[in-house]
Amino acid sequence: FPVLVYIHGGYWQCLSKDESGFAAPPLVSQGVAVVAVGYDTAPKGHMDAMVLQVRRSVAFLVERYSGIRGIYLCGHSAGAHLAAMVLSTDWTEYGVVPDIKGAVLVSGVYDLEPILHTYVNDALNMSREVAQRNSPMLCISPAVPAAAACEVLVAVAQHDSPEFRRQSQEYGQALRAAGWSVSLLDLAGVDHFDIIEKLSEDSYVLTQV
């Protein structure tokens, strides 16, 4: 069975896996297992630790369930950032090589440096070094054959802020330049929140994709 791993948003400081089941019904009805992943949000969690926890959760899934036929990552906002960091993982350190067939990155943040100068960093307390080390834009590896087979969908909402839209565009282009298979999806009539909330609907374009 294929597995969709959902990573929640909330600016790395709110929400949890407990609120992340809304996307499950349409997918489970089609034979897809849905796994909601949690991580220690700030101020308890540090950015390095959050990235490590999400990577470990994917490795755990592979070790625990031998019947998985392809892992698909889906993250929203901060969760899209964490999903993008999973794509840049050196799996030799984890003793497994997950078969990541796709990633749906929704309204994500791919360059953390602009956040250093905002209130969001009050809880995160990131230094410039931490922000750079955990910025997917700066961690893109050339696509190895396995990565080339992974389809990445970078989705953004019409009413997302200009910064979200800019980062989505630039990250998608950078991945493509490195040999990844990337599609950009600009969704009309939605904002930063309902772009993901509508995944509970069977007929919603992102659910279908």
Side-chain angles (χ1 to χ4, degrees), residues 6 8 14-23 36:
Y6 180 79
H8 71 82
C14 56
L15 298 180
S16 75
K17 63 180 170 54
D18 302 331
E19 291 101 354
S20 300
F22 59 89

Side-chain angles (χ1 to χ4, degrees), residues 179-207:
W180 291 73
S181 172
V182 182
S183 310
L184 282 163
L185 185 61
D186 195 334
L187 287 165
V190 288
D191 62 25
H192 187 71
F193 300 101
D194 58 5
I195 187 175
I196 197 74
E197 289 163 359
K198 286 163 75 75
L199 276 181
S200 61
E201 301 171 12
D202 287 283
S203 58
Y204 178 48
V205 59
L206 209 51
T207 314

Side-chain angles (χ1 to χ4, degrees), residues 26-94:
L27 292 165
V28 171
S29 71
Q30 298 295 319
V32 179
V34 177
V35 175
V37 165
Y39 50 93
D40 287 332
T41 50
K44 181 187 176 192
H46 185 268
M47 187 59 74
D48 288 323
M50 294 183 225
V51 170
L52 180 62
Q53 286 174 328
V54 173
R55 286 170 167 167
R56 277 183 178 159
S57 67
V58 174
F60 170 82
L61 272 177
V62 175
E63 289 169 347
R64 178 74 178 77
Y65 299 103
S66 59
I68 292 176
R69 183 172 54 78
I71 289 175
Y72 298 81
L73 306 169
C74 178
H76 172 242
S77 196
H81 158 265
L82 293 168
M85 289 301 290
V86 170
L87 292 180
S88 72
T89 305
D90 176 1
W91 292 107
T92 52
E93 299 171 32
Y94 296 84

Side-chain angles (χ1 to χ4, degrees), residues 84-120:
M85 289 301 290
V86 170
L87 292 180
S88 72
T89 305
D90 176 1
W91 292 107
T92 52
E93 299 171 32
Y94 296 84
V96 296
V97 182
D99 180 18
I100 299 176
K101 288 194 182 315
V104 182
L105 308 176
V106 185
S107 297
V109 182
Y110 309 106
D111 177 5
L112 299 184
E113 280 209 58
I115 286 170
L116 295 174
H117 317 292
T118 71
Y119 73 92
V120 176

